[in-house]
Amino acid sequence: MNFLHKINYMKSAKAWITMSIVLTLLGVGAIFARGFNKGIDFTGGLFYDIRFDQAITSAQITDAAKKSLNAEVVVQKAEVKGTANGTAIEYFLRTPELKEDQQLKLKADLKQLGNYTIISEDQVSGSVSTELRDQAILAILIAAVLQILYLSVRFQFKFGVTAVVALLHDVIITAGAVALFGIQINSPFVAAILTILGYSINDTVIVFDRIRENLARRKKGEDLEALTTRSMQEVITRSIYTVLTVLFTLACMLVWGGDSIWDFALTLFIGITSGMYSSIFIAAALWLYWQKWEDANRRAAAIKKIKPAKA
């Protein structure tokens, strides 16, 4: 990948930013046009802890529950219980709000898969779901503020703000894709978003760290655009290798992971792809334009001070 070290990335900085603005607007449009497919965690529903006496797969339970209710359900494997035959398996099953006859039908249909025991049965109320939503939003906001503070202390305030703008870019694009594809919004989605934020900020810190190092040993006559491009050329291979390793893993999860983690893996795949792009191109480009604008204002102020002295 030596050719990557010869590309003048910042020469096309306006194109990178323009493309990001378009993608962000499309993401916002998808959110408003399609809305979110809210899962049980955010709408309320029923929670079952079920133990089957024989080896039943989560796919079998998911298919049976979907056919029984004609609605989305969430099935999560808990653990294998130590029984006499060693085949009992426990699952967590989440469903939308169900009437009594629907609950009876679901239990009867699951009985066709094999004998089972309901360990516990709880209801998730709408108020709890609202609290979960508010806590999820708060968690994302706190993460963004702490990242600004961290980057401001380690680097400078401009680095912190541009990094968080790039993170918001990732969140909006990911949320737009989630709305467009009808991916369910639930607790794993929140975990995926926080993971994306962590990955993206880590990649951004690497780029900014190289920019800071090169600012300290700036070549004679090197302008900011050339310095930023050189910094990106020095880390681009590492960033691409890292993201490809993650994306290959996520692709395997999408192909072989099953329905239970499909939405989670797809959300991560979209978000980490966006995070790689924004941390390499958008964050650096935003910092470059901010720094150039600040330098231009500083020069203009210096010229204004000099002119009266000559007069």
Side-chain angles (χ1 to χ4, degrees), residues 154-241:
R154 181 172 175 182
F155 299 102
Q156 55 179 249
F157 181 68
K158 287 192 289 294
F159 283 130
V161 173
T162 52
V164 170
V165 170
L167 292 181
L168 291 176
H169 159 276
D170 299 334
V171 170
I172 293 173
I173 288 178
T174 303
V178 164
L180 184 64
F181 296 138
I183 298 173
Q184 198 171 86
I185 301 293
N186 47 27
S187 296
F189 169 80
V190 177
I193 290 295
L194 292 175
T195 303
I196 291 164
L197 293 181
Y199 176 87
S200 182
I201 198 67
N202 177 69
D203 219 21
T204 303
V205 165
I206 291 170
V207 175
F208 282 167
D209 190 50
R210 188 53 56 92
I211 291 175
R212 183 183 62 172
E213 289 178 2
N214 288 336
L215 282 171
R217 55 189 186 198
R218 193 169 179 176
K219 296 179 180 179
K220 186 176 181 180
E222 185 179 41
D223 61 20
L224 278 175
E225 183 177 307
L227 183 145
T228 307
T229 294
R230 177 162 62 89
S231 302
M232 293 171 66
Q233 289 170 342
E234 291 171 354
V235 300
I236 188 70
T237 302
R238 178 261 177 210
S239 295
I240 289 178
Y241 284 159

Coordinates of all heavy atoms in Angstrom, one line a residue, residues 154-241:
R154 N -4.9 16.8 26.6 CA -3.8 16.1 26.0 C -3.2 16.9 24.8 O -2.0 16.9 24.5 CB -4.2 14.7 25.5 CG -3.0 13.9 24.9 CD -3.4 12.5 24.7 NE -2.3 11.8 24.0 CZ -2.3 10.6 23.6 NH1 -3.3 9.8 23.9 NH2 -1.2 10.0 23.0
F155 N -4.1 17.5 24.0 CA -3.7 18.2 22.8 C -4.0 19.7 22.9 O -3.3 20.4 23.5 CB -4.4 17.6 21.5 CG -4.0 16.1 21.3 CD1 -4.9 15.1 21.7 CD2 -2.8 15.7 20.8 CE1 -4.6 13.8 21.5 CE2 -2.5 14.4 20.6 CZ -3.4 13.4 20.9
Q156 N -5.2 20.1 22.3 CA -5.7 21.4 22.4 C -7.2 21.4 22.2 O -7.7 20.4 21.7 CB -5.0 22.3 21.4 CG -5.1 21.9 20.0 CD -4.4 22.8 19.0 OE1 -5.0 23.4 18.2 NE2 -3.0 22.9 19.0
F157 N -7.8 22.5 22.5 CA -9.3 22.6 22.5 C -9.8 22.3 21.0 O -10.8 21.6 20.9 CB -9.8 23.9 23.0 CG -11.3 24.1 23.0 CD1 -12.0 23.3 23.8 CD2 -11.9 24.9 22.1 CE1 -13.4 23.5 23.9 CE2 -13.3 25.1 22.1 CZ -14.0 24.3 23.0
K158 N -9.1 22.8 20.0 CA -9.6 22.6 18.6 C -9.6 21.1 18.3 O -10.5 20.7 17.6 CB -8.6 23.4 17.7 CG -8.8 24.9 17.7 CD -8.1 25.5 16.5 CE -6.6 25.5 16.7 NZ -6.1 26.3 17.8
F159 N -8.6 20.4 18.8 CA -8.6 18.9 18.5 C -9.8 18.3 19.1 O -10.5 17.4 18.5 CB -7.3 18.3 19.1 CG -6.1 18.5 18.2 CD1 -4.9 19.0 18.8 CD2 -6.1 18.3 16.9 CE1 -3.8 19.2 18.0 CE2 -5.0 18.4 16.1 CZ -3.8 18.9 16.7
G160 N -10.1 18.7 20.4 CA -11.3 18.1 21.1 C -12.6 18.3 20.4 O -13.4 17.4 20.2
V161 N -12.8 19.6 20.0 CA -14.1 19.9 19.3 C -14.2 19.2 18.0 O -15.3 18.7 17.6 CB -14.2 21.5 19.2 CG1 -15.5 21.8 18.3 CG2 -14.3 22.1 20.5
T162 N -13.2 19.3 17.1 CA -13.3 18.7 15.8 C -13.4 17.2 15.9 O -14.1 16.5 15.1 CB -12.0 19.0 15.0 OG1 -10.9 18.6 15.7 CG2 -12.0 20.5 14.6
A163 N -12.8 16.5 16.9 CA -13.0 15.1 17.1 C -14.4 14.8 17.5 O -15.0 13.8 16.9 CB -12.1 14.6 18.2
V164 N -15.1 15.6 18.3 CA -16.5 15.3 18.7 C -17.4 15.6 17.5 O -18.4 14.9 17.3 CB -16.8 16.1 19.9 CG1 -18.3 16.0 20.2 CG2 -16.1 15.6 21.2
V165 N -17.1 16.6 16.7 CA -17.9 16.8 15.5 C -17.9 15.6 14.6 O -18.9 15.1 14.0 CB -17.4 18.1 14.7 CG1 -18.1 18.2 13.4 CG2 -17.7 19.3 15.6
A166 N -16.7 15.0 14.5 CA -16.5 13.8 13.7 C -17.3 12.6 14.3 O -17.9 11.8 13.5 CB -15.0 13.4 13.5
L167 N -17.3 12.6 15.6 CA -18.1 11.5 16.3 C -19.6 11.7 16.0 O -20.3 10.7 15.8 CB -17.8 11.5 17.8 CG -16.4 11.1 18.2 CD1 -16.3 11.2 19.8 CD2 -16.1 9.8 17.8
L168 N -20.1 12.9 16.1 CA -21.5 13.2 15.8 C -21.8 12.8 14.4 O -22.9 12.2 14.1 CB -21.8 14.6 16.0 CG -21.8 15.1 17.5 CD1 -22.0 16.6 17.6 CD2 -22.8 14.4 18.3
H169 N -20.9 13.0 13.5 CA -21.0 12.6 12.1 C -21.2 11.1 12.0 O -22.1 10.6 11.3 CB -19.8 13.0 11.3 CG -19.5 12.3 10.0 ND1 -18.8 11.1 10.0 CD2 -19.8 12.6 8.8 CE1 -18.7 10.7 8.8 NE2 -19.3 11.6 8.0
D170 N -20.4 10.3 12.8 CA -20.6 8.9 12.8 C -21.9 8.4 13.4 O -22.5 7.5 12.8 CB -19.4 8.3 13.6 CG -18.1 8.6 13.0 OD1 -18.0 8.8 11.8 OD2 -17.1 8.6 13.8
V171 N -22.3 9.1 14.5 CA -23.6 8.7 15.1 C -24.8 8.9 14.2 O -25.7 8.1 14.1 CB -23.7 9.5 16.4 CG1 -25.1 9.3 17.0 CG2 -22.7 9.0 17.4
I172 N -24.8 10.1 13.5 CA -25.9 10.5 12.6 C -26.0 9.5 11.4 O -27.0 9.0 11.1 CB -25.8 11.9 12.2 CG1 -26.0 12.9 13.4 CG2 -26.8 12.2 11.1 CD1 -25.8 14.3 13.1
I173 N -24.8 9.3 10.8 CA -24.8 8.4 9.7 C -25.2 6.9 10.1 O -26.0 6.3 9.4 CB -23.4 8.3 9.0 CG1 -23.1 9.7 8.3 CG2 -23.3 7.2 8.0 CD1 -21.8 9.8 7.7
T174 N -24.7 6.5 11.2 CA -25.1 5.1 11.7 C -26.6 5.1 12.0 O -27.3 4.1 11.6 CB -24.3 4.8 12.9 OG1 -22.9 4.8 12.6 CG2 -24.6 3.4 13.4
A175 N -27.1 6.1 12.7 CA -28.5 6.2 13.1 C -29.4 6.2 11.8 O -30.5 5.6 11.7 CB -28.8 7.4 14.0
G176 N -28.9 7.0 10.8 CA -29.7 7.1 9.6 C -29.8 5.7 8.9 O -30.8 5.3 8.3
A177 N -28.6 5.0 8.8 CA -28.6 3.7 8.2 C -29.5 2.7 9.0 O -30.2 1.9 8.4 CB -27.2 3.1 8.2
V178 N -29.5 2.8 10.3 CA -30.3 2.0 11.2 C -31.8 2.2 10.9 O -32.6 1.3 10.8 CB -30.0 2.2 12.7 CG1 -31.1 1.7 13.6 CG2 -28.7 1.6 13.0
A179 N -32.2 3.5 10.7 CA -33.5 3.8 10.4 C -33.9 3.3 9.0 O -35.0 2.8 8.8 CB -33.8 5.3 10.5
L180 N -33.0 3.5 8.1 CA -33.2 3.1 6.7 C -33.4 1.6 6.6 O -34.4 1.1 5.9 CB -32.1 3.6 5.8 CG -32.2 3.3 4.3 CD1 -33.4 4.1 3.7 CD2 -30.9 3.7 3.6
F181 N -32.6 0.8 7.2 CA -32.7 -0.6 7.1 C -33.7 -1.3 8.1 O -33.9 -2.5 8.1 CB -31.3 -1.3 7.4 CG -30.3 -0.9 6.3 CD1 -29.0 -0.5 6.7 CD2 -30.6 -0.9 5.0 CE1 -28.1 -0.2 5.7 CE2 -29.7 -0.5 4.0 CZ -28.4 -0.2 4.4
G182 N -34.3 -0.4 9.0 CA -35.2 -0.9 9.9 C -34.6 -1.8 11.1 O -35.3 -2.6 11.7
I183 N -33.3 -1.5 11.4 CA -32.7 -2.2 12.4 C -33.3 -1.8 13.8 O -33.6 -0.7 14.0 CB -31.2 -1.9 12.5 CG1 -30.5 -2.4 11.1 CG2 -30.5 -2.5 13.6 CD1 -29.1 -2.0 11.0
Q184 N -33.5 -2.8 14.6 CA -34.2 -2.5 15.9 C -33.3 -1.7 16.9 O -32.1 -2.0 17.0 CB -34.6 -3.9 16.5 CG -35.7 -3.7 17.6 CD -36.2 -5.1 18.0 OE1 -35.7 -5.7 18.9 NE2 -37.3 -5.5 17.4
I185 N -33.9 -0.7 17.5 CA -33.2 0.1 18.5 C -33.5 -0.6 19.8 O -34.6 -0.6 20.3 CB -33.8 1.5 18.5 CG1 -33.6 2.2 17.1 CG2 -33.1 2.3 19.6 CD1 -32.2 2.4 16.7
N186 N -32.4 -1.1 20.5 CA -32.5 -1.7 21.8 C -31.2 -1.5 22.5 O -30.3 -0.7 22.1 CB -32.8 -3.2 21.6 CG -31.9 -3.8 20.6 OD1 -30.8 -3.4 20.3 ND2 -32.4 -4.9 19.9
S187 N -31.0 -2.2 23.6 CA -29.8 -2.0 24.4 C -28.5 -2.4 23.7 O -27.5 -1.7 23.8 CB -29.9 -2.9 25.7 OG -31.0 -2.4 26.5
P188 N -28.5 -3.5 22.9 CA -27.3 -3.7 22.1 C -27.0 -2.6 21.1 O -25.8 -2.4 20.8 CB -27.7 -5.0 21.3 CG -28.6 -5.7 22.2 CD -29.5 -4.6 22.8
F189 N -28.0 -1.9 20.6 CA -27.8 -0.8 19.7 C -27.0 0.3 20.5 O -26.1 0.9 19.9 CB -29.1 -0.2 19.2 CG -28.9 1.1 18.5 CD1 -28.5 1.2 17.2 CD2 -29.3 2.3 19.2 CE1 -28.3 2.4 16.5 CE2 -29.1 3.5 18.5 CZ -28.7 3.6 17.2
V190 N -27.4 0.6 21.7 CA -26.7 1.6 22.5 C -25.3 1.2 22.7 O -24.3 2.0 22.6 CB -27.4 1.8 23.9 CG1 -26.7 2.8 24.7 CG2 -28.9 2.3 23.6
A191 N -25.1 -0.1 23.0 CA -23.7 -0.7 23.2 C -22.9 -0.5 22.0 O -21.7 -0.2 22.0 CB -23.8 -2.1 23.6
A192 N -23.5 -0.7 20.8 CA -22.8 -0.6 19.5 C -22.4 0.9 19.3 O -21.3 1.1 18.8 CB -23.7 -1.0 18.4
I193 N -23.3 1.8 19.6 CA -23.0 3.2 19.4 C -21.8 3.7 20.3 O -20.9 4.3 19.8 CB -24.2 4.1 19.7 CG1 -25.3 3.9 18.6 CG2 -23.8 5.6 19.8 CD1 -24.9 4.4 17.3
L194 N -21.8 3.2 21.6 CA -20.7 3.6 22.5 C -19.4 2.9 22.0 O -18.3 3.5 22.1 CB -21.1 3.1 23.9 CG -22.2 3.9 24.5 CD1 -22.5 3.3 25.9 CD2 -21.8 5.4 24.7
T195 N -19.5 1.7 21.4 CA -18.3 1.0 20.9 C -17.8 1.8 19.7 O -16.6 2.0 19.5 CB -18.6 -0.4 20.5 OG1 -19.2 -1.1 21.6 CG2 -17.4 -1.1 19.9
I196 N -18.7 2.3 18.8 CA -18.3 3.1 17.7 C -17.6 4.4 18.1 O -16.6 4.8 17.5 CB -19.5 3.4 16.8 CG1 -20.0 2.1 16.1 CG2 -19.2 4.4 15.7 CD1 -21.4 2.2 15.6
L197 N -18.1 5.0 19.1 CA -17.5 6.3 19.6 C -16.1 6.0 20.1 O -15.2 6.7 19.9 CB -18.4 6.8 20.8 CG -19.8 7.4 20.4 CD1 -20.5 7.9 21.6 CD2 -19.7 8.4 19.3
G198 N -16.0 4.9 20.9 CA -14.6 4.5 21.4 C -13.6 4.2 20.3 O -12.5 4.7 20.3
Y199 N -14.1 3.5 19.3 CA -13.2 3.1 18.2 C -12.8 4.4 17.4 O -11.6 4.6 17.1 CB -13.9 2.1 17.2 CG -13.0 1.8 16.0 CD1 -12.0 0.8 16.1 CD2 -13.1 2.6 14.8 CE1 -11.2 0.5 15.0 CE2 -12.3 2.3 13.8 CZ -11.4 1.3 13.8 OH -10.6 1.0 12.8
S200 N -13.8 5.2 17.1 CA -13.5 6.4 16.3 C -12.6 7.4 17.0 O -11.7 7.9 16.4 CB -14.9 7.1 15.9 OG -14.6 8.2 15.1
I201 N -12.8 7.6 18.3 CA -12.0 8.5 19.0 C -10.6 8.0 19.1 O -9.6 8.8 19.0 CB -12.6 8.9 20.4 CG1 -11.9 10.2 20.9 CG2 -12.3 7.7 21.4 CD1 -12.3 11.4 20.2
N202 N -10.4 6.7 19.2 CA -9.1 6.1 19.3 C -8.3 6.3 18.0 O -7.1 6.7 18.0 CB -9.2 4.6 19.6 CG -7.8 3.9 19.6 OD1 -7.0 4.1 20.5 ND2 -7.6 3.1 18.5
D203 N -9.0 6.1 16.9 CA -8.3 6.4 15.6 C -8.0 7.9 15.4 O -7.0 8.2 14.8 CB -9.3 5.9 14.5 CG -8.5 5.2 13.3 OD1 -7.3 4.8 13.6 OD2 -9.0 5.1 12.2
T204 N -8.9 8.7 15.8 CA -8.7 10.2 15.7 C -7.5 10.6 16.5 O -6.8 11.5 16.1 CB -10.0 10.9 16.1 OG1 -11.1 10.5 15.4 CG2 -9.8 12.4 15.9
V205 N -7.4 10.1 17.7 CA -6.3 10.4 18.6 C -5.0 10.1 17.9 O -4.0 10.9 18.0 CB -6.4 9.7 20.0 CG1 -5.1 9.8 20.7 CG2 -7.5 10.3 20.8
I206 N -4.9 9.0 17.2 CA -3.7 8.6 16.6 C -3.3 9.6 15.5 O -2.1 10.0 15.3 CB -3.8 7.2 16.0 CG1 -3.9 6.1 17.1 CG2 -2.7 6.9 15.0 CD1 -4.3 4.8 16.6
V207 N -4.3 10.0 14.7 CA -4.1 11.0 13.7 C -3.6 12.4 14.3 O -2.6 13.0 13.9 CB -5.3 11.3 12.8 CG1 -5.1 12.4 11.8 CG2 -5.7 10.0 12.1
F208 N -4.3 12.8 15.3 CA -4.0 14.1 16.0 C -2.6 14.0 16.7 O -1.9 15.0 16.7 CB -5.1 14.5 17.0 CG -6.3 15.0 16.3 CD1 -7.5 15.1 17.1 CD2 -6.3 15.4 15.0 CE1 -8.7 15.6 16.5 CE2 -7.5 15.9 14.4 CZ -8.6 16.0 15.2
D209 N -2.3 12.9 17.2 CA -1.0 12.7 17.9 C 0.1 12.9 16.9 O 1.1 13.6 17.2 CB -0.9 11.4 18.6 CG 0.3 11.2 19.5 OD1 0.5 12.1 20.3 OD2 1.1 10.3 19.3
R210 N -0.1 12.4 15.7 CA 1.0 12.5 14.7 C 1.0 14.0 14.2 O 2.1 14.5 13.9 CB 0.7 11.6 13.5 CG 1.8 11.5 12.4 CD 3.1 11.2 13.1 NE 3.1 10.0 13.8 CZ 3.4 8.8 13.3 NH1 3.8 8.7 12.1 NH2 3.4 7.7 14.1
I211 N -0.1 14.7 14.1 CA -0.1 16.1 13.7 C 0.6 16.9 14.7 O 1.4 17.8 14.4 CB -1.6 16.6 13.5 CG1 -2.2 15.9 12.3 CG2 -1.6 18.1 13.4 CD1 -3.7 16.3 12.1
R212 N 0.4 16.6 16.0 CA 1.0 17.3 17.1 C 2.5 17.1 17.0 O 3.3 18.1 17.2 CB 0.5 16.9 18.4 CG 1.1 17.7 19.6 CD 0.6 17.2 20.9 NE 0.9 15.8 21.2 CZ 0.8 15.1 22.3 NH1 0.2 15.8 23.3 NH2 1.1 13.9 22.5
E213 N 3.0 15.9 16.8 CA 4.4 15.6 16.7 C 5.0 16.3 15.5 O 6.1 16.9 15.7 CB 4.6 14.1 16.6 CG 4.3 13.3 17.8 CD 4.5 11.8 17.5 OE1 4.9 11.4 16.4 OE2 4.2 11.0 18.5
N214 N 4.3 16.4 14.4 CA 4.9 17.0 13.2 C 4.9 18.5 13.4 O 5.7 19.2 12.8 CB 4.1 16.6 12.0 CG 4.4 15.2 11.6 OD1 5.5 14.6 11.9 ND2 3.5 14.5 10.9
L215 N 3.9 19.1 14.1 CA 4.0 20.5 14.4 C 5.2 20.9 15.2 O 5.8 22.0 15.0 CB 2.7 20.9 15.2 CG 1.4 21.1 14.4 CD1 0.2 21.3 15.3 CD2 1.5 22.3 13.4
A216 N 5.6 20.0 16.1 CA 6.8 20.3 17.0 C 8.1 20.2 16.1 O 9.1 20.8 16.5 CB 6.8 19.3 18.1
R217 N 8.1 19.4 15.1 CA 9.3 19.3 14.2 C 9.0 19.7 12.8 O 9.3 19.0 11.8 CB 9.8 17.9 14.3 CG 8.8 16.8 14.0 CD 9.4 15.4 14.3 NE 8.4 14.4 13.8 CZ 8.4 13.2 14.3 NH1 9.3 12.8 15.2 NH2 7.6 12.3 13.8
R218 N 8.3 20.8 12.6 CA 7.8 21.2 11.3 C 9.0 21.5 10.4 O 9.9 22.2 10.8 CB 6.9 22.5 11.5 CG 6.1 22.9 10.4 CD 5.1 24.0 10.8 NE 4.3 24.5 9.8 CZ 3.3 25.4 10.0 NH1 3.1 25.8 11.2 NH2 2.6 25.8 9.0
K219 N 8.8 21.1 9.2 CA 9.9 21.3 8.2 C 9.9 22.8 7.8 O 8.8 23.4 7.8 CB 9.7 20.4 7.0 CG 9.8 18.9 7.2 CD 9.6 18.1 6.0 CE 9.7 16.6 6.3 NZ 9.4 15.8 5.1
K220 N 11.0 23.3 7.4 CA 11.1 24.7 7.0 C 10.3 24.9 5.7 O 10.4 24.2 4.7 CB 12.6 25.0 6.7 CG 12.8 26.5 6.4 CD 14.3 26.8 6.3 CE 14.5 28.3 6.0 NZ 16.0 28.6 5.9
G221 N 9.4 25.9 5.8 CA 8.6 26.3 4.7 C 7.4 25.4 4.5 O 6.6 25.6 3.5
E222 N 7.2 24.5 5.4 CA 6.0 23.6 5.2 C 4.7 24.2 5.7 O 4.7 24.6 6.9 CB 6.3 22.3 6.0 CG 5.2 21.2 5.8 CD 5.5 19.9 6.5 OE1 6.0 20.0 7.7 OE2 5.3 18.8 6.0
D223 N 3.7 24.3 4.8 CA 2.5 24.9 5.3 C 1.6 23.9 6.0 O 1.9 22.7 6.0 CB 1.7 25.5 4.1 CG 1.3 24.5 3.0 OD1 1.3 23.3 3.3 OD2 1.1 24.9 1.9
L224 N 0.5 24.3 6.6 CA -0.3 23.4 7.4 C -1.0 22.3 6.6 O -1.1 21.2 7.1 CB -1.5 24.3 8.1 CG -1.1 25.0 9.3 CD1 -2.2 25.8 9.8 CD2 -0.7 24.0 10.4
E225 N -1.3 22.6 5.3 CA -1.9 21.6 4.5 C -1.0 20.5 4.2 O -1.3 19.3 4.3 CB -2.4 22.2 3.2 CG -3.1 21.2 2.3 CD -3.6 21.9 1.0 OE1 -4.4 22.9 1.1 OE2 -3.3 21.3 -0.1
A226 N 0.3 20.8 3.9 CA 1.3 19.8 3.7 C 1.6 19.0 4.9 O 1.8 17.8 4.9 CB 2.6 20.5 3.1
L227 N 1.7 19.7 6.1 CA 2.0 19.0 7.3 C 0.8 18.0 7.7 O 1.1 16.9 8.1 CB 2.1 20.1 8.4 CG 2.5 19.6 9.8 CD1 3.4 20.5 10.5 CD2 1.2 19.3 10.7
T228 N -0.4 18.5 7.5 CA -1.5 17.6 7.8 C -1.5 16.4 6.9 O -1.8 15.2 7.3 CB -2.9 18.3 7.7 OG1 -2.8 19.5 8.5 CG2 -4.0 17.5 8.2
T229 N -1.3 16.6 5.6 CA -1.2 15.5 4.7 C -0.1 14.5 5.0 O -0.3 13.3 5.0 CB -1.0 16.1 3.2 OG1 -2.1 16.8 2.8 CG2 -0.8 14.9 2.2
R230 N 1.1 15.1 5.4 CA 2.2 14.2 5.8 C 1.8 13.4 7.0 O 2.2 12.2 7.0 CB 3.4 15.0 6.0 CG 4.6 14.2 6.5 CD 5.9 15.1 6.3 NE 5.9 16.3 7.1 CZ 6.4 16.3 8.4 NH1 6.8 15.2 8.9 NH2 6.4 17.4 9.1
S231 N 1.1 14.0 7.9 CA 0.7 13.2 9.1 C -0.2 12.1 8.8 O -0.1 11.0 9.3 CB 0.0 14.2 10.1 OG 0.9 15.3 10.5
M232 N -1.1 12.3 7.9 CA -2.1 11.3 7.5 C -1.4 10.2 6.7 O -1.7 9.0 6.8 CB -3.2 11.9 6.6 CG -4.1 12.9 7.4 SD -5.2 13.8 6.4 CE -6.3 12.5 5.8
Q233 N -0.4 10.6 5.9 CA 0.3 9.6 5.1 C 1.1 8.6 6.0 O 1.3 7.4 5.7 CB 1.3 10.3 4.1 CG 0.6 11.0 3.0 CD 1.6 11.9 2.2 OE1 2.6 12.2 2.7 NE2 1.2 12.2 1.0
E234 N 1.5 9.1 7.2 CA 2.3 8.3 8.1 C 1.5 7.4 8.9 O 2.0 6.4 9.5 CB 3.1 9.3 9.0 CG 4.2 10.0 8.3 CD 4.8 11.1 9.2 OE1 4.3 11.4 10.3 OE2 5.8 11.7 8.7
V235 N 0.1 7.6 9.0 CA -0.7 6.7 9.8 C -1.8 6.0 9.0 O -2.5 5.1 9.5 CB -1.4 7.5 10.9 CG1 -0.4 8.2 11.8 CG2 -2.4 8.6 10.4
I236 N -1.9 6.3 7.7 CA -3.0 5.7 6.9 C -2.9 4.2 6.8 O -4.0 3.5 6.9 CB -3.0 6.4 5.5 CG1 -4.2 6.0 4.7 CG2 -1.7 6.0 4.7 CD1 -5.5 6.6 5.2
T237 N -1.7 3.7 6.6 CA -1.6 2.2 6.5 C -2.1 1.5 7.8 O -2.8 0.5 7.8 CB -0.2 1.8 6.2 OG1 0.2 2.4 4.9 CG2 -0.1 0.3 6.0
R238 N -1.6 2.0 8.9 CA -2.0 1.5 10.2 C -3.5 1.5 10.4 O -4.1 0.5 10.9 CB -1.2 2.2 11.3 CG -1.6 1.7 12.7 CD -2.6 2.6 13.4 NE -3.0 2.2 14.7 CZ -4.2 2.4 15.2 NH1 -5.1 3.0 14.6 NH2 -4.4 1.9 16.4
S239 N -4.1 2.6 10.1 CA -5.6 2.8 10.3 C -6.3 1.8 9.4 O -7.3 1.2 9.8 CB -6.0 4.2 10.0 OG -5.4 5.1 10.9
I240 N -5.9 1.7 8.1 CA -6.6 0.8 7.2 C -6.5 -0.7 7.7 O -7.5 -1.4 7.7 CB -6.1 1.0 5.8 CG1 -6.6 2.3 5.3 CG2 -6.6 -0.1 4.9 CD1 -6.1 2.7 3.9
Y241 N -5.3 -1.1 8.1 CA -5.1 -2.5 8.5 C -5.9 -2.7 9.8 O -6.5 -3.8 9.9 CB -3.6 -2.7 8.9 CG -2.7 -2.9 7.7 CD1 -1.3 -2.7 7.8 CD2 -3.2 -3.2 6.4 CE1 -0.5 -2.8 6.6 CE2 -2.4 -3.4 5.3 CZ -1.1 -3.2 5.4 OH -0.3 -3.4 4.3

